[in-house]
Amino acid sequence: MKKNIPKEIIEIQSSPEASRVVLPVIFDILSKWSFTIDDQLIILGFKEEKVLRDCMEAPEKVELTMDLIERVSLILGIFRSLEIVLPAPHIADAWLNTPNENSVFKGVPPKSHLLSGSIDDLAAVRDFLSYQEHQ
């Protein structure tokens, strides 16, 4: 057993069912948001396109890392929040590409934060949208 990692996370990481279900959903979301393969590499924290292609072709064979679990969780949260805050899909998708003057985004589109490769930036977009949900 791996040190300091809760048993539940270890089970998720090594579950073919978890990766088989969640990865195609993530690829579908990123595709709907018009992210290229290169963009997806950055957002998902992959270094090589082959790793991304392997995940796309055989998601059930992927052992989810803590980093990937966190990124997937944030992407799902962003998607969910966009559906709540901006229920029209075309408006929600356009929001990612629209420059935003909020202090979180400082005049750049939220998509730029997603493409930084930083989990902190993914979390900032998620937190911003979560806050908007509760306004």
Side-chain angles (χ1 to χ4, degrees):
M1 192 164 177
K2 298 175 184 175
K3 284 185 162 184
N4 299 323
I5 300 175
K7 183 178 120 183
E8 295 82 6
I9 297 296
I10 292 171
E11 289 171 5
I12 290 170
Q13 285 178 310
S14 59
S15 167
E17 185 64 17
S19 58
R20 184 188 67 76
V21 171
V22 76
L23 289 177
V25 171
I26 292 301
F27 296 132
D28 186 47
I29 290 169
L30 294 175
S31 177
K32 285 180 183 178
W33 289 344
S34 302
F35 284 111
T36 66
I37 293 295
D38 288 339
D39 294 342
Q40 292 179 40
L41 280 168
I42 294 167
I43 293 167
L44 295 172
F46 295 137
K47 304 291 183 224
E48 299 174 13
E49 186 175 331
K50 181 182 180 342
V51 174
L52 179 64
R53 296 280 182 198
D54 289 347
C55 289
M56 291 175 160
E57 293 169 11
E60 70 282 358
K61 293 182 180 177
V62 176
E63 184 169 320
L64 301 171
T65 64
M66 289 296 291
D67 181 78
L68 187 55
I69 290 170
E70 188 169 4
R71 290 172 186 274
V72 163
S73 175
L74 290 165
I75 293 164
L76 291 172
I78 291 167
F79 183 78
R80 181 187 151 278
S81 289
L82 278 172
E83 286 194 328
I84 292 168
V85 174
L86 302 167
H90 67 284
I91 295 172
D93 296 344
W95 179 84
L96 288 170
N97 293 302
T98 304
N100 192 315
E101 295 302 323
N102 183 282
S103 63
V104 172
F105 304 109
K106 300 177 181 142
V108 298
K111 187 173 189 174
S112 296
H113 285 280
L114 301 182
L115 289 172
S116 76
S118 164
I119 287 180
D120 290 341
D121 284 343
L122 285 170
V125 174
R126 171 67 183 108
D127 292 346
F128 174 83
L129 289 168
S130 182
Y131 177 79
Q132 300 304 313
E133 278 181 60
H134 299 97
Q135 292 301 305

